[in-house]
Amino acid sequence: MSSSTADAPTTLPSPAGAAASRLSLQCEPIAADTTAIRSLDWDRSRFDIEFGLRNGTTYNAFLVRGERTALVDTSHAKFRDTWIPLLEGLIEPTAIDHLIVSHTEPDHSGLIGDLIDRHPDIEIVGSKVAIQFLQDQVHRPFRSRAVKSGEELDLGVHPESGVGHRFSFLSAPNLHWPDTIFSFDHGTGLLYTCDAFGLHYCSDDLFDVDPGAIAPDFRFYYDCLMAPNARSVLQALKRMEGLPEITTIAVGHGPLLRDHLPLWVGDYRDWSGQRSAGEAYAAVCYISQYGFCDRLSQAIARGVGKASGQVQLVDLRATDAQELAALVGEASAVVVPTWPASPDADLQTAIGTLLAALHPKQWVGCYDAFGGNDEPIDTLAGQLRNLGQKWAFEPLRIRQVPGGADYQRCEEAGTDLGQLLTKAKTIAAMKAIDGDLDKALGRLSGGLYIVTARQDDEAGSRSGAMVASWVSQASFDPPGLTVAVAKDRAIEALMQVDDRFVLNVLREDNHQPLLRHFLRRFPPGADRFAGVSVLEGVAAGGPVLGDALAYLGCRVTQRMEGPDHWIIYAVVEEGNVADTTAATAVHHRKVGNHY
């Protein structure tokens, strides 16, 4: 197998015993002297807590040969039995001079220890933070070189192709870990970005040949991982503008971006610009590689973003003191985790900087990191109360290894915080609309429905419900309908493409009790169905309300984004009517600028 000659991708089967999870490898040249090694995880259904994956995912690594050779990233440890032999078939590991570590999340660094065992003298190149993190991961001595923006690694000229491979590095902290770097090969125009610009999408297509197919996953990935760091995205885009022409973005997950590159970069610029507009933002703090801080903070930040609030994730361990003080001091809200009861000296200094930067005008919140030996959350909450802070939400107590319900509670708490941050803007928008127009819009009427959804997987159970009136049949064949869902609704996360939900039709003569129940403001994580008669197992998407007139079981097939709502198109797969003589409840509004 050669890195320089192949007409089609080389695909290797999954290791013995892993057939049920369908793991395979794809190896193909993508540019001069450059080979992509893609680990295809076809059936992975969840990635961290953010993603319910419908299309699996990939873990991409790259081999680049000049006069010397560099490997960019490795793969997930689950591919050890096939990935290492494939690499050894391409090149003797001792002939690899440098391993460029884009960042140290285990799905990209899971086989670094195996590589060091085969080649103890390999030089590992990464950010200073990445080198520190890697020392705690591999538990082996290794040669390393820390790099930052503006520094280079020259592999020299390949003797056969005559192409020189000179790498320039760009610091890209918080995309989405604090240790991330981008690497640009001047010889090929390839930019290696790891998580940034990626998507969880597994297919045999090496490149972005079908943008329509991958666009929903590209956007969902951005919303979950990159949106909470929109300011960092814009900084990375500015650094990219200083590079020569980029021919391909070689991402760490999904197809490589080449055929529609301006589309994807433009999307990142537009989305991040929208999310960074305005000055009020929440600083959601976490401690990298401690407990479940990474995932819990991401869930909170995602919730803030759903309410159109600005958010910035802040790593207490990796952010320097001056930047930490500025990010915390300038924030309108600050969320902090419980920290180790006996923090090391550097972390203790960061905690002191954090507390000193807080001021009474800010909203605050706190959450359990579940790190094993945390400072009690009540002690932390007491410190914050003594500083005179306003509480955005009650302390988020995590009493076991976090599951789906815990992450949903964190996301909902973030949404509550985001609504606090945007309250004045929301009121101003309501007042800005012309009065006559407002009244005219209010004459649009619709039925009354309760949308319910529930998902059960290895991360646990998550459920949601909301009142809906913006519902309309949208197609005959197949039978389909649209539902408008406000972006800050908790249930929106359960209505991604291919997710299922239930539309419960309320009846005219008895809808008030259900309406009052589901119009209540539920605290984060509350059971929406407590005290309500539900029929379980009737529909695939979620509970059917016992007092509903009818139900429709639906599957989401498309989502269209509006300014403050998602328009969900779903195919109706099942349904039934409880009383054919009853009428549907109707909602008549007086104004059109709020529900």
Side-chain angles (χ1 to χ4, degrees):
M1 169 183 331
S2 169
S3 66
S4 58
T5 59
D7 295 325
T10 298
T11 302
L12 298 184
S14 57
S21 59
R22 286 207 302 162
L23 307 177
S24 60
L25 294 176
Q26 183 186 51
C27 179
E28 186 172 3
I30 57 172
D33 319 311
T34 305
T35 302
I37 306 173
R38 301 176 72 227
S39 303
L40 279 62
D41 195 345
W42 293 92
D43 298 320
R44 185 161 185 176
S45 62
R46 182 153 295 278
F47 200 94
D48 287 345
I49 56 91
E50 302 92 351
F51 297 100
L53 305 184
R54 70 183 192 280
N55 290 315
T57 192
T58 76
Y59 318 99
N60 304 334
F62 307 91
L63 189 66
V64 184
R65 305 178 193 239
E67 183 181 352
R68 292 182 303 282
T69 300
L71 179 67
V72 182
D73 297 319
T74 62
S75 185
H76 196 293
K78 68 172 69 176
F79 285 88
R80 176 176 289 113
D81 293 342
T82 51
W83 195 92
I84 293 293
L86 173 61
L87 180 68
E88 291 174 332
L90 290 172
I91 187 172
E92 173 61 40
T94 55
I96 303 174
D97 300 281
H98 312 279
L99 170 61
I100 298 174
V101 177
S102 302
H103 91 141
T104 57
E105 199 170 12
D107 53 313
H108 303 289
S109 64
L111 300 178
I112 290 179
D114 300 79
L115 193 58
I116 294 173
D117 289 342
R118 289 161 173 76
H119 185 11
D121 292 329
I122 192 171
E123 180 183 61
I124 295 180
V125 180
S127 69
K128 180 180 178 180
V129 178
I131 300 300
Q132 293 171 346
F133 286 173
L134 204 55
Q135 290 169 345
D136 295 330
Q137 286 182 222
V138 301
H139 306 295
R140 302 165 174 82
F142 57 85
R143 294 177 60 232
S144 64
R145 173 184 167 189
V147 295
K148 55 187 178 182
S149 286
E151 297 188 357
E152 295 188 345
L153 172 66
D154 193 345
L155 300 183
V157 177
H158 189 280
E160 296 180 7
S161 69
V163 175
H165 297 278
R166 176 170 57 90
F167 280 83
S168 292
F169 298 106
L170 286 73
S171 297
N174 302 318
L175 302 184
H176 73 113
W177 272 26
D179 60 350
T180 301
I181 58 168
F182 294 173
S183 309
F184 179 75
D185 183 356
H186 289 264
T188 59
L190 267 69
L191 179 66
Y192 301 91
T193 61
C194 203
D195 281 346
F197 298 98
L199 63 152
H200 290 307
Y201 190 93
C202 184
S203 76
D204 289 321
D205 290 332
L206 182 59
F207 295 102
D208 54 332
V209 294
D210 187 351
I214 66 176
D217 297 88
F218 185 79
R219 176 59 189 266
F220 188 39
Y221 185 102
Y222 173 89
D223 284 344
C224 290
L225 290 187
M226 298 298 147
N229 294 302
R231 289 172 172 80
S232 298
V233 171
L234 293 176
Q235 290 300 316
L237 289 170
K238 285 183 180 179
R239 294 187 181 106
M240 288 168 55
E241 290 172 359
L243 295 172
E245 181 183 0
I246 299 170
T247 60
T248 301
I249 294 182
V251 295
H253 295 292
L256 313 188
L257 307 181
R258 181 192 66 183
D259 297 346
H260 304 276
L261 191 55
L263 170 65
W264 312 121
V265 175
D267 281 347
Y268 259 48
R269 181 174 288 107
D270 293 344
W271 298 336
S272 298
Q274 293 165 11
R275 288 183 176 269
S276 298
E279 297 180 356
Y281 68 91
V284 179
C285 301
Y286 69 104
I287 304 170
S288 54
Q289 296 193 317
Y290 179 69
F292 290 83
C293 262
D294 293 310
R295 298 179 181 184
L296 293 167
S297 64
Q298 289 163 12
I300 296 169
R302 173 167 163 75
V304 176
K306 285 180 65 172
S308 299
Q310 306 304 320
V311 62
Q312 177 65 50
L313 283 166
V314 180
D315 182 5
L316 296 179
R317 194 184 295 280
T319 307
D320 68 62
Q322 184 176 358
E323 184 179 4
L324 175 60
L327 287 173
V328 171
E330 295 171 6
S332 299
V334 181
V335 181
V336 297
T338 54
W339 44 72
S342 300
D344 58 64
D346 289 342
L347 183 55
Q348 183 63 63
T349 298
I351 293 168
T353 301
L354 163 69
L355 295 175
L358 292 171
H359 55 81
K361 293 183 179 181
Q362 293 169 314
W363 295 97
V364 295
C366 60
Y367 64 97
D368 267 323
F370 203 73
N373 187 31
D374 299 357
E375 187 78 14
I377 194 167
D378 289 326
T379 301
L380 172 58
Q383 285 182 275
L384 297 175
R385 287 192 179 96
N386 290 338
L387 292 171
Q389 306 295 319
K390 302 177 294 182
W391 284 94
F393 50 79
E394 288 299 309
L396 296 169
R397 305 174 189 277
I398 309 297
R399 304 185 187 279
Q400 69 281 317
V401 173
D406 296 303
Y407 292 118
Q408 182 178 353
R409 180 158 53 98
C410 289
E411 183 175 305
E412 291 175 6
T415 300
D416 287 351
L417 172 55
Q419 290 170 345
L420 289 172
L421 294 178
T422 59
K423 183 177 181 180
K425 181 180 177 181
T426 301
I427 294 174
M430 289 169 54
K431 292 181 177 179
I433 191 170
D434 176 78
D436 291 335
L437 172 60
D438 191 18
K439 294 174 183 177
L441 278 173
R443 294 304 182 269
L444 293 173
S445 61
L448 279 173
Y449 313 89
I450 306 294
V451 177
T452 62
R454 176 172 290 151
Q455 294 179 2
D456 299 295
D457 54 32
E458 61 267 31
S461 179
R462 299 186 300 163
S463 62
M466 75 167 198
V467 175
S469 60
W470 295 359
V471 178
S472 178
Q473 185 168 349
S475 62
F476 287 127
D477 186 16
L481 55 83
T482 59
V483 184
V485 182
K487 290 182 177 179
D488 61 357
R489 292 297 181 93
I491 199 173
E492 180 273 336
L494 304 177
M495 299 177 72
Q496 302 296 318
V497 173
D498 271 353
D499 286 345
R500 287 179 166 83
F501 67 89
V502 176
L503 185 74
N504 294 271
V505 183
L506 300 188
R507 55 188 293 163
E508 185 179 44
D509 55 1
N510 75 340
H511 69 278
Q512 287 296 339
L514 284 174
L515 198 61
R516 284 194 296 270
H517 175 85
F518 287 105
L519 283 176
R520 291 185 322 183
R521 187 174 184 86
F522 292 92
D527 181 3
R528 269 68 170 168
F529 304 105
V532 175
S533 173
V534 298
L535 306 175
E536 299 286 0
V538 175
V544 172
L545 302 181
D547 292 329
L549 168 61
Y551 80 88
L552 297 170
C554 307
R555 178 175 57 85
V556 179
T557 61
Q558 294 183 52
R559 287 163 54 101
M560 185 180 78
E561 186 175 11
D564 49 22
H565 284 69
W566 286 101
I567 310 303
I568 309 294
Y569 172 76
V571 172
V572 179
E573 298 180 320
E574 57 184 331
N576 206 342
V577 181
D579 184 351
T580 57
T581 65
T584 301
V586 178
H587 178 46
H588 295 284
R589 297 182 296 162
K590 294 183 178 180
V591 294
N593 63 8
H594 60 278
Y595 293 124

